[in-house]
């Protein structure tokens, strides 16, 4: 029987402040009113200036269309993801090391997932030649057939890990990936660190510049 429609969780004020504090601690903030990197101020002289300057560099972030983009020193490593795909084939995130990986979390009943699927299908083919791979995480779909039908209907030619219980999502720090927010998209850099985090549906126009930025890092 089809389960209830899932919606992104709305956190209480206190919980939201806690998440914001965690983001600041790891060097990332989300502020859709800004679109350029921010760097914390540093002292102008003495040993303290060098120390604070290093800390400021680690806290530098760029915010584009609501996406949180972490500076390299502030990035958290993506967890080990070794699982099976929708066809029960083994697959591992580690196999894509030295490539940029776009991780998209979806389920077959999710309206935002349906809205973004066409753009993801388009982008996955467009950027493959630049050393960028797409990998899905299909969650909450206990029926693999329903998930495979979604993939066929939307022309998604990249693999998806089958995570019906959300166990894989819980391996990510909650400040990087909220397991209750479906859909979500992460961009993992060539060193296996989370460079970009986006909650909610994405478009090609919103996601492509973020992918290009990570790919240009070499």
């Amino acid at each position: 029987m089809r389960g209830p429609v899932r919606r992104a969780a709305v956190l209480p004020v206190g919980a939201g402040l806690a998440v914001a504090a965690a983001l600041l601690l790891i060097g990332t903030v989300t502020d859709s009113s800004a679109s350029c990197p921010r760097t914390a101020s540093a002292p102008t002289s003495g040993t303290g200036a060098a120390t604070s300057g290093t800390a400021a560099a680690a806290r530098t972030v760029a915010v584009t269309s609501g996406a949180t983009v972490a500076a390299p020193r502030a990035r958290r490593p993506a967890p080990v993801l070794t699982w099976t795909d929708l066809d029960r084939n083994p697959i591992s995130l580690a196999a894509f090391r030295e490539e940029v990986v776009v991780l998209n979390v979806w389920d077959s009943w999710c309206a935002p997932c349906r809205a973004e699927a066409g753009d993801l299908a388009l982008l996955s083919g467009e950027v493959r030649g630049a050393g960028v791979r797409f990998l899905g995480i299909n969650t909450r779909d206990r029926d693999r057939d329903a998930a495979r039908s979604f993939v066929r209907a939307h022309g998604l030619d990249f693999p998806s890990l089958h995570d019906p219980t959300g166990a894989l999502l819980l391996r990510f720090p909650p400040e990087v990936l909220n397991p209750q927010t479906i859909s979500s998209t992460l961009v993992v850099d060539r060193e296996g660190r989370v460079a970009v985090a986006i909650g909610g549906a994405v478009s090609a126009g919103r996601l492509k510049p973020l992918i290009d930025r990570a790919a240009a890092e070499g």
Side-chain angles (χ1 to χ4, degrees), residues 164-210:
T165 66
L168 296 182
L169 305 185
L170 293 175
R171 296 183 185 179
F172 290 86
E175 63 270 17
V176 171
L177 179 64
N178 182 347
Q180 300 301 318
T181 302
I182 311 296
S183 65
S184 294
T185 302
L186 304 178
V187 178
V188 179
D189 68 18
R190 299 183 195 278
E191 296 183 27
R193 304 169 301 178
V194 178
V196 179
I198 305 170
V202 295
S203 65
R206 182 185 182 196
L207 183 57
K208 178 66 160 53
L210 301 172

mmCIF file of all heavy atoms in Angstrom, residues 164-210:
data_model
loop_
_atom_site.group_PDB
_atom_site.id
_atom_site.type_symbol
_atom_site.label_atom_id
_atom_site.label_comp_id
_atom_site.label_asym_id
_atom_site.label_seq_id
_atom_site.Cartn_x
_atom_site.Cartn_y
_atom_site.Cartn_z
ATOM 1 N N PRO A 164 16.060 1.705 1.353
ATOM 2 C CA PRO A 164 14.658 1.859 1.752
ATOM 3 C C PRO A 164 14.455 2.323 3.188
ATOM 4 O O PRO A 164 13.453 2.971 3.491
ATOM 5 C CB PRO A 164 14.071 0.460 1.538
ATOM 6 C CG PRO A 164 15.244 -0.472 1.610
ATOM 7 C CD PRO A 164 16.386 0.296 1.024
ATOM 8 N N THR A 165 15.387 2.030 4.070
ATOM 9 C CA THR A 165 15.229 2.414 5.480
ATOM 10 C C THR A 165 15.894 3.739 5.823
ATOM 11 O O THR A 165 15.757 4.223 6.949
ATOM 12 C CB THR A 165 15.805 1.323 6.390
ATOM 13 O OG1 THR A 165 17.234 1.255 6.201
ATOM 14 C CG2 THR A 165 15.188 -0.037 6.093
ATOM 15 N N GLY A 166 16.643 4.323 4.884
ATOM 16 C CA GLY A 166 17.363 5.563 5.174
ATOM 17 C C GLY A 166 18.650 5.351 5.935
ATOM 18 O O GLY A 166 19.242 6.310 6.438
ATOM 19 N N ALA A 167 19.129 4.118 5.998
ATOM 20 C CA ALA A 167 20.353 3.831 6.758
ATOM 21 C C ALA A 167 21.555 4.570 6.196
ATOM 22 O O ALA A 167 22.417 5.049 6.949
ATOM 23 C CB ALA A 167 20.620 2.322 6.770
ATOM 24 N N LEU A 168 21.647 4.678 4.868
ATOM 25 C CA LEU A 168 22.780 5.376 4.271
ATOM 26 C C LEU A 168 22.730 6.867 4.587
ATOM 27 O O LEU A 168 23.767 7.499 4.822
ATOM 28 C CB LEU A 168 22.796 5.173 2.756
ATOM 29 C CG LEU A 168 22.999 3.756 2.247
ATOM 30 C CD1 LEU A 168 23.028 3.745 0.718
ATOM 31 C CD2 LEU A 168 24.286 3.151 2.803
ATOM 32 N N LEU A 169 21.539 7.441 4.584
ATOM 33 C CA LEU A 169 21.411 8.874 4.858
ATOM 34 C C LEU A 169 21.881 9.215 6.257
ATOM 35 O O LEU A 169 22.444 10.295 6.496
ATOM 36 C CB LEU A 169 19.953 9.313 4.669
ATOM 37 C CG LEU A 169 19.308 9.011 3.319
ATOM 38 C CD1 LEU A 169 17.912 9.616 3.265
ATOM 39 C CD2 LEU A 169 20.163 9.513 2.175
ATOM 40 N N LEU A 170 21.665 8.310 7.190
ATOM 41 C CA LEU A 170 22.062 8.561 8.577
ATOM 42 C C LEU A 170 23.571 8.526 8.773
ATOM 43 O O LEU A 170 24.064 8.907 9.829
ATOM 44 C CB LEU A 170 21.387 7.545 9.500
ATOM 45 C CG LEU A 170 19.862 7.666 9.603
ATOM 46 C CD1 LEU A 170 19.299 6.535 10.452
ATOM 47 C CD2 LEU A 170 19.459 9.018 10.176
ATOM 48 N N ARG A 171 24.313 8.089 7.773
ATOM 49 C CA ARG A 171 25.778 8.105 7.875
ATOM 50 C C ARG A 171 26.347 9.509 7.654
ATOM 51 O O ARG A 171 27.499 9.760 7.993
ATOM 52 C CB ARG A 171 26.386 7.140 6.851
ATOM 53 C CG ARG A 171 26.020 5.684 7.098
ATOM 54 C CD ARG A 171 26.713 4.771 6.106
ATOM 55 N NE ARG A 171 26.284 3.388 6.263
ATOM 56 C CZ ARG A 171 26.715 2.382 5.515
ATOM 57 N NH1 ARG A 171 27.613 2.626 4.558
ATOM 58 N NH2 ARG A 171 26.282 1.156 5.714
ATOM 59 N N PHE A 172 25.555 10.395 7.069
ATOM 60 C CA PHE A 172 26.002 11.761 6.846
ATOM 61 C C PHE A 172 25.759 12.596 8.094
ATOM 62 O O PHE A 172 24.748 12.419 8.783
ATOM 63 C CB PHE A 172 25.233 12.397 5.681
ATOM 64 C CG PHE A 172 25.569 11.839 4.338
ATOM 65 C CD1 PHE A 172 24.913 10.703 3.862
ATOM 66 C CD2 PHE A 172 26.524 12.440 3.533
ATOM 67 C CE1 PHE A 172 25.208 10.184 2.606
ATOM 68 C CE2 PHE A 172 26.830 11.928 2.279
ATOM 69 C CZ PHE A 172 26.167 10.798 1.821
ATOM 70 N N PRO A 173 26.658 13.539 8.407
ATOM 71 C CA PRO A 173 26.373 14.471 9.496
ATOM 72 C C PRO A 173 25.078 15.223 9.191
ATOM 73 O O PRO A 173 24.846 15.627 8.049
ATOM 74 C CB PRO A 173 27.580 15.426 9.483
ATOM 75 C CG PRO A 173 28.659 14.675 8.773
ATOM 76 C CD PRO A 173 27.961 13.803 7.763
ATOM 77 N N PRO A 174 24.201 15.422 10.176
ATOM 78 C CA PRO A 174 22.908 16.068 9.904
ATOM 79 C C PRO A 174 23.042 17.487 9.391
ATOM 80 O O PRO A 174 22.152 17.976 8.696
ATOM 81 C CB PRO A 174 22.189 16.016 11.257
ATOM 82 C CG PRO A 174 23.278 15.826 12.272
ATOM 83 C CD PRO A 174 24.333 15.022 11.591
ATOM 84 N N GLU A 175 24.164 18.165 9.713
ATOM 85 C CA GLU A 175 24.335 19.519 9.193
ATOM 86 C C GLU A 175 24.705 19.516 7.716
ATOM 87 O O GLU A 175 24.631 20.550 7.050
ATOM 88 C CB GLU A 175 25.399 20.284 9.989
ATOM 89 C CG GLU A 175 26.801 19.719 9.921
ATOM 90 C CD GLU A 175 27.084 18.705 11.004
ATOM 91 O OE1 GLU A 175 26.114 18.184 11.618
ATOM 92 O OE2 GLU A 175 28.282 18.423 11.249
ATOM 93 N N VAL A 176 25.090 18.363 7.193
ATOM 94 C CA VAL A 176 25.411 18.225 5.775
ATOM 95 C C VAL A 176 24.210 17.708 4.992
ATOM 96 O O VAL A 176 23.896 18.191 3.906
ATOM 97 C CB VAL A 176 26.617 17.287 5.576
ATOM 98 C CG1 VAL A 176 26.834 16.952 4.111
ATOM 99 C CG2 VAL A 176 27.873 17.915 6.160
ATOM 100 N N LEU A 177 23.510 16.727 5.557
ATOM 101 C CA LEU A 177 22.361 16.135 4.881
ATOM 102 C C LEU A 177 21.273 15.831 5.901
ATOM 103 O O LEU A 177 21.461 15.014 6.803
ATOM 104 C CB LEU A 177 22.775 14.846 4.163
ATOM 105 C CG LEU A 177 21.663 14.090 3.435
ATOM 106 C CD1 LEU A 177 21.107 14.923 2.288
ATOM 107 C CD2 LEU A 177 22.165 12.743 2.926
ATOM 108 N N ASN A 178 20.129 16.493 5.754
ATOM 109 C CA ASN A 178 18.977 16.220 6.603
ATOM 110 C C ASN A 178 18.236 15.016 6.035
ATOM 111 O O ASN A 178 17.690 15.089 4.928
ATOM 112 C CB ASN A 178 18.056 17.447 6.638
ATOM 113 C CG ASN A 178 16.851 17.243 7.541
ATOM 114 O OD1 ASN A 178 16.553 16.134 7.972
ATOM 115 N ND2 ASN A 178 16.140 18.317 7.813
ATOM 116 N N PRO A 179 18.186 13.890 6.755
ATOM 117 C CA PRO A 179 17.568 12.684 6.190
ATOM 118 C C PRO A 179 16.076 12.832 5.948
ATOM 119 O O PRO A 179 15.473 12.010 5.255
ATOM 120 C CB PRO A 179 17.871 11.606 7.242
ATOM 121 C CG PRO A 179 18.107 12.355 8.510
ATOM 122 C CD PRO A 179 18.725 13.656 8.111
ATOM 123 N N GLN A 180 15.467 13.866 6.518
ATOM 124 C CA GLN A 180 14.039 14.087 6.322
ATOM 125 C C GLN A 180 13.736 14.920 5.075
ATOM 126 O O GLN A 180 12.572 15.061 4.699
ATOM 127 C CB GLN A 180 13.457 14.790 7.554
ATOM 128 C CG GLN A 180 13.602 14.018 8.851
ATOM 129 C CD GLN A 180 12.927 12.656 8.780
ATOM 130 O OE1 GLN A 180 11.827 12.532 8.258
ATOM 131 N NE2 GLN A 180 13.588 11.635 9.298
ATOM 132 N N THR A 181 14.749 15.506 4.464
ATOM 133 C CA THR A 181 14.536 16.377 3.311
ATOM 134 C C THR A 181 14.729 15.595 2.022
ATOM 135 O O THR A 181 15.835 15.224 1.658
ATOM 136 C CB THR A 181 15.504 17.575 3.340
ATOM 137 O OG1 THR A 181 15.312 18.300 4.554
ATOM 138 C CG2 THR A 181 15.230 18.514 2.167
ATOM 139 N N ILE A 182 13.626 15.337 1.350
ATOM 140 C CA ILE A 182 13.640 14.621 0.082
ATOM 141 C C ILE A 182 12.945 15.522 -0.930
ATOM 142 O O ILE A 182 11.805 15.923 -0.712
ATOM 143 C CB ILE A 182 12.876 13.278 0.169
ATOM 144 C CG1 ILE A 182 13.325 12.486 1.406
ATOM 145 C CG2 ILE A 182 13.057 12.474 -1.095
ATOM 146 C CD1 ILE A 182 14.758 12.057 1.398
ATOM 147 N N SER A 183 13.570 15.939 -1.986
ATOM 148 C CA SER A 183 14.892 15.512 -2.409
ATOM 149 C C SER A 183 16.003 16.380 -1.800
ATOM 150 O O SER A 183 15.738 17.476 -1.320
ATOM 151 C CB SER A 183 14.997 15.588 -3.927
ATOM 152 O OG SER A 183 14.905 16.940 -4.353
ATOM 153 N N SER A 184 17.229 15.851 -1.890
ATOM 154 C CA SER A 184 18.435 16.586 -1.513
ATOM 155 C C SER A 184 19.527 16.243 -2.518
ATOM 156 O O SER A 184 19.521 15.152 -3.103
ATOM 157 C CB SER A 184 18.908 16.196 -0.108
ATOM 158 O OG SER A 184 17.982 16.582 0.875
ATOM 159 N N THR A 185 20.453 17.169 -2.690
ATOM 160 C CA THR A 185 21.560 16.941 -3.619
ATOM 161 C C THR A 185 22.864 17.408 -2.988
ATOM 162 O O THR A 185 22.918 18.498 -2.409
ATOM 163 C CB THR A 185 21.331 17.692 -4.948
ATOM 164 O OG1 THR A 185 20.103 17.254 -5.537
ATOM 165 C CG2 THR A 185 22.464 17.431 -5.922
ATOM 166 N N LEU A 186 23.880 16.586 -3.081
ATOM 167 C CA LEU A 186 25.225 16.927 -2.619
ATOM 168 C C LEU A 186 26.186 16.842 -3.798
ATOM 169 O O LEU A 186 26.022 16.007 -4.682
ATOM 170 C CB LEU A 186 25.708 15.965 -1.531
ATOM 171 C CG LEU A 186 24.844 15.802 -0.281
ATOM 172 C CD1 LEU A 186 25.470 14.760 0.644
ATOM 173 C CD2 LEU A 186 24.680 17.123 0.444
ATOM 174 N N VAL A 187 27.193 17.707 -3.787
ATOM 175 C CA VAL A 187 28.298 17.597 -4.736
ATOM 176 C C VAL A 187 29.537 17.224 -3.930
ATOM 177 O O VAL A 187 29.927 17.945 -2.999
ATOM 178 C CB VAL A 187 28.531 18.914 -5.507
ATOM 179 C CG1 VAL A 187 29.727 18.764 -6.450
ATOM 180 C CG2 VAL A 187 27.278 19.313 -6.289
ATOM 181 N N VAL A 188 30.122 16.093 -4.259
ATOM 182 C CA VAL A 188 31.301 15.573 -3.560
ATOM 183 C C VAL A 188 32.520 15.825 -4.440
ATOM 184 O O VAL A 188 32.523 15.484 -5.626
ATOM 185 C CB VAL A 188 31.140 14.064 -3.273
ATOM 186 C CG1 VAL A 188 32.378 13.510 -2.562
ATOM 187 C CG2 VAL A 188 29.886 13.815 -2.440
ATOM 188 N N ASP A 189 33.551 16.448 -3.866
ATOM 189 C CA ASP A 189 34.723 16.799 -4.667
ATOM 190 C C ASP A 189 35.609 15.584 -4.945
ATOM 191 O O ASP A 189 35.319 14.467 -4.502
ATOM 192 C CB ASP A 189 35.504 17.952 -4.030
ATOM 193 C CG ASP A 189 36.192 17.580 -2.710
ATOM 194 O OD1 ASP A 189 36.379 16.369 -2.422
ATOM 195 O OD2 ASP A 189 36.549 18.502 -1.948
ATOM 196 N N ARG A 190 36.702 15.808 -5.668
ATOM 197 C CA ARG A 190 37.559 14.701 -6.103
ATOM 198 C C ARG A 190 38.302 14.035 -4.945
ATOM 199 O O ARG A 190 38.860 12.950 -5.108
ATOM 200 C CB ARG A 190 38.558 15.194 -7.148
ATOM 201 C CG ARG A 190 37.891 15.753 -8.404
ATOM 202 C CD ARG A 190 38.928 16.171 -9.447
ATOM 203 N NE ARG A 190 38.344 17.011 -10.483
ATOM 204 C CZ ARG A 190 37.682 16.552 -11.536
ATOM 205 N NH1 ARG A 190 37.516 15.251 -11.679
ATOM 206 N NH2 ARG A 190 37.189 17.387 -12.443
ATOM 207 N N GLU A 191 38.311 14.691 -3.788
ATOM 208 C CA GLU A 191 38.944 14.103 -2.611
ATOM 209 C C GLU A 191 37.929 13.441 -1.689
ATOM 210 O O GLU A 191 38.258 13.041 -0.573
ATOM 211 C CB GLU A 191 39.727 15.183 -1.856
ATOM 212 C CG GLU A 191 40.886 15.749 -2.661
ATOM 213 C CD GLU A 191 41.686 16.759 -1.864
ATOM 214 O OE1 GLU A 191 41.702 16.669 -0.617
ATOM 215 O OE2 GLU A 191 42.307 17.635 -2.472
ATOM 216 N N GLY A 192 36.704 13.323 -2.154
ATOM 217 C CA GLY A 192 35.687 12.632 -1.360
ATOM 218 C C GLY A 192 35.062 13.477 -0.276
ATOM 219 O O GLY A 192 34.494 12.927 0.676
ATOM 220 N N ARG A 193 35.117 14.814 -0.410
ATOM 221 C CA ARG A 193 34.552 15.707 0.596
ATOM 222 C C ARG A 193 33.302 16.391 0.039
ATOM 223 O O ARG A 193 33.219 16.684 -1.156
ATOM 224 C CB ARG A 193 35.579 16.756 1.007
ATOM 225 C CG ARG A 193 36.896 16.182 1.507
ATOM 226 C CD ARG A 193 37.957 17.261 1.638
ATOM 227 N NE ARG A 193 38.199 17.935 0.356
ATOM 228 C CZ ARG A 193 39.049 18.945 0.195
ATOM 229 N NH1 ARG A 193 39.739 19.394 1.233
ATOM 230 N NH2 ARG A 193 39.218 19.499 -0.992
ATOM 231 N N VAL A 194 32.360 16.691 0.937
ATOM 232 C CA VAL A 194 31.124 17.335 0.503
ATOM 233 C C VAL A 194 31.386 18.818 0.281
ATOM 234 O O VAL A 194 31.675 19.568 1.216
ATOM 235 C CB VAL A 194 30.009 17.140 1.533
ATOM 236 C CG1 VAL A 194 28.733 17.861 1.073
ATOM 237 C CG2 VAL A 194 29.722 15.654 1.741
ATOM 238 N N ALA A 195 31.290 19.241 -0.971
ATOM 239 C CA ALA A 195 31.557 20.629 -1.336
ATOM 240 C C ALA A 195 30.290 21.470 -1.384
ATOM 241 O O ALA A 195 30.334 22.679 -1.135
ATOM 242 C CB ALA A 195 32.255 20.683 -2.701
ATOM 243 N N VAL A 196 29.159 20.861 -1.733
ATOM 244 C CA VAL A 196 27.904 21.586 -1.909
ATOM 245 C C VAL A 196 26.779 20.766 -1.301
ATOM 246 O O VAL A 196 26.742 19.540 -1.459
ATOM 247 C CB VAL A 196 27.606 21.834 -3.408
ATOM 248 C CG1 VAL A 196 26.279 22.572 -3.578
ATOM 249 C CG2 VAL A 196 28.735 22.605 -4.071
ATOM 250 N N ALA A 197 25.861 21.441 -0.623
ATOM 251 C CA ALA A 197 24.668 20.787 -0.080
ATOM 252 C C ALA A 197 23.445 21.609 -0.451
ATOM 253 O O ALA A 197 23.414 22.824 -0.242
ATOM 254 C CB ALA A 197 24.776 20.649 1.433
ATOM 255 N N ILE A 198 22.430 20.936 -1.014
ATOM 256 C CA ILE A 198 21.201 21.602 -1.430
ATOM 257 C C ILE A 198 20.021 20.789 -0.913
ATOM 258 O O ILE A 198 19.954 19.572 -1.134
ATOM 259 C CB ILE A 198 21.094 21.704 -2.966
ATOM 260 C CG1 ILE A 198 22.327 22.379 -3.555
ATOM 261 C CG2 ILE A 198 19.835 22.454 -3.370
ATOM 262 C CD1 ILE A 198 22.397 22.297 -5.071
ATOM 263 N N GLY A 199 19.104 21.434 -0.231
ATOM 264 C CA GLY A 199 17.874 20.788 0.192
ATOM 265 C C GLY A 199 16.730 21.208 -0.709
ATOM 266 O O GLY A 199 16.532 22.391 -0.957
ATOM 267 N N GLY A 200 15.989 20.238 -1.239
ATOM 268 C CA GLY A 200 14.883 20.550 -2.131
ATOM 269 C C GLY A 200 15.251 20.322 -3.579
ATOM 270 O O GLY A 200 16.383 19.969 -3.913
ATOM 271 N N ALA A 201 14.258 20.514 -4.441
ATOM 272 C CA ALA A 201 14.459 20.269 -5.869
ATOM 273 C C ALA A 201 15.485 21.231 -6.454
ATOM 274 O O ALA A 201 15.611 22.376 -6.016
ATOM 275 C CB ALA A 201 13.136 20.404 -6.614
ATOM 276 N N VAL A 202 16.225 20.751 -7.453
ATOM 277 C CA VAL A 202 17.209 21.581 -8.145
ATOM 278 C C VAL A 202 16.856 21.646 -9.628
ATOM 279 O O VAL A 202 16.146 20.791 -10.153
ATOM 280 C CB VAL A 202 18.643 21.037 -7.982
ATOM 281 C CG1 VAL A 202 19.088 21.090 -6.542
ATOM 282 C CG2 VAL A 202 18.751 19.621 -8.525
ATOM 283 N N SER A 203 17.378 22.649 -10.282
ATOM 284 C CA SER A 203 17.242 22.777 -11.731
ATOM 285 C C SER A 203 18.633 22.699 -12.344
ATOM 286 O O SER A 203 19.654 22.870 -11.656
ATOM 287 C CB SER A 203 16.589 24.107 -12.100
ATOM 288 O OG SER A 203 17.437 25.185 -11.724
ATOM 289 N N ALA A 204 18.679 22.467 -13.650
ATOM 290 C CA ALA A 204 19.973 22.429 -14.338
ATOM 291 C C ALA A 204 20.692 23.761 -14.213
ATOM 292 O O ALA A 204 21.900 23.813 -13.981
ATOM 293 C CB ALA A 204 19.771 22.058 -15.812
ATOM 294 N N GLY A 205 19.942 24.863 -14.347
ATOM 295 C CA GLY A 205 20.559 26.189 -14.257
ATOM 296 C C GLY A 205 21.130 26.487 -12.897
ATOM 297 O O GLY A 205 22.111 27.222 -12.771
ATOM 298 N N ARG A 206 20.550 25.912 -11.864
ATOM 299 C CA ARG A 206 21.037 26.121 -10.501
ATOM 300 C C ARG A 206 22.212 25.207 -10.179
ATOM 301 O O ARG A 206 23.176 25.623 -9.535
ATOM 302 C CB ARG A 206 19.885 25.860 -9.530
ATOM 303 C CG ARG A 206 20.204 26.075 -8.070
ATOM 304 C CD ARG A 206 19.005 25.668 -7.242
ATOM 305 N NE ARG A 206 19.207 25.879 -5.811
ATOM 306 C CZ ARG A 206 18.448 25.338 -4.866
ATOM 307 N NH1 ARG A 206 17.427 24.577 -5.208
ATOM 308 N NH2 ARG A 206 18.693 25.575 -3.595
ATOM 309 N N LEU A 207 22.148 23.970 -10.648
ATOM 310 C CA LEU A 207 23.148 22.977 -10.267
ATOM 311 C C LEU A 207 24.410 23.022 -11.122
ATOM 312 O O LEU A 207 25.511 22.814 -10.618
ATOM 313 C CB LEU A 207 22.513 21.586 -10.335
ATOM 314 C CG LEU A 207 23.362 20.392 -9.900
ATOM 315 C CD1 LEU A 207 23.869 20.568 -8.469
ATOM 316 C CD2 LEU A 207 22.551 19.099 -10.020
ATOM 317 N N LYS A 208 24.271 23.304 -12.405
ATOM 318 C CA LYS A 208 25.423 23.223 -13.317
ATOM 319 C C LYS A 208 26.590 24.111 -12.885
ATOM 320 O O LYS A 208 27.752 23.656 -12.886
ATOM 321 C CB LYS A 208 24.964 23.595 -14.732
ATOM 322 C CG LYS A 208 26.065 23.616 -15.799
ATOM 323 C CD LYS A 208 26.645 22.242 -16.048
ATOM 324 C CE LYS A 208 27.355 22.132 -17.394
ATOM 325 N NZ LYS A 208 28.367 23.158 -17.627
ATOM 326 N N PRO A 209 26.387 25.395 -12.499
ATOM 327 C CA PRO A 209 27.533 26.208 -12.074
ATOM 328 C C PRO A 209 28.238 25.646 -10.840
ATOM 329 O O PRO A 209 29.455 25.792 -10.700
ATOM 330 C CB PRO A 209 26.910 27.580 -11.781
ATOM 331 C CG PRO A 209 25.634 27.596 -12.524
ATOM 332 C CD PRO A 209 25.146 26.188 -12.517
ATOM 333 N N LEU A 210 27.501 24.988 -9.963
ATOM 334 C CA LEU A 210 28.094 24.410 -8.767
ATOM 335 C C LEU A 210 28.940 23.191 -9.124
ATOM 336 O O LEU A 210 30.007 22.968 -8.557
ATOM 337 C CB LEU A 210 26.996 24.054 -7.769
ATOM 338 C CG LEU A 210 26.118 25.211 -7.313
ATOM 339 C CD1 LEU A 210 24.949 24.709 -6.484
ATOM 340 C CD2 LEU A 210 26.946 26.225 -6.512
#
